[in-house]
């Protein structure tokens, strides 16, 4: 633990802004696609709390993109 801690540097980072959606195969694909599309179109995509990252399980990626 001490060896690992000695390698840490001071830093600052963005604590928000990525607003991810994580989608698993057993989730409601239709609802998720509607929510993501509606959120991205809200306020012409200029909202600071808009979804910017969509992480999809590989088994549902193509179906989600098609929706």
């Amino acid at each position: 633990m001490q060896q690992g801690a000695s390698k840490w540097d001071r830093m600052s980072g963005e604590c928000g802004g990525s607003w991810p959606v994580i989608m698993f195969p057993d989730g409601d694909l239709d609802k998720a696609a509607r929510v993501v599309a509606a959120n991205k179109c809200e306020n012409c995509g200029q909202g600071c709390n808009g979804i910017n990252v969509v992480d999809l399980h590989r088994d549902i990626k193509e179906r989600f993109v098609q929706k």
Side-chain angles (χ1 to χ4, degrees):
M1 198 174 203
Q2 188 175 15
Q3 288 175 341
S6 68
K7 296 181 183 344
W8 286 82
D9 291 326
R10 289 179 184 232
M11 61 168 277
S12 65
E14 171 68 34
C15 293
S18 64
W19 291 92
V21 168
I22 301 172
M23 188 72 197
F24 294 98
D26 61 345
D28 186 337
L29 197 59
D30 290 324
K31 182 177 181 179
R34 281 193 313 271
V35 168
V36 169
N39 180 270
K40 288 311 293 175
C41 294
E42 183 179 347
N43 199 28
C44 298
Q46 299 299 310
C48 63
N49 63 344
I51 296 167
N52 292 321
V53 176
V54 180
D55 289 325
L56 302 167
H57 189 276
R58 66 177 166 253
D59 291 346
I60 61 170
K61 178 185 174 189
E62 291 304 318
R63 287 187 297 150
F64 184 88
V65 170
Q66 289 299 318
K67 289 182 180 296

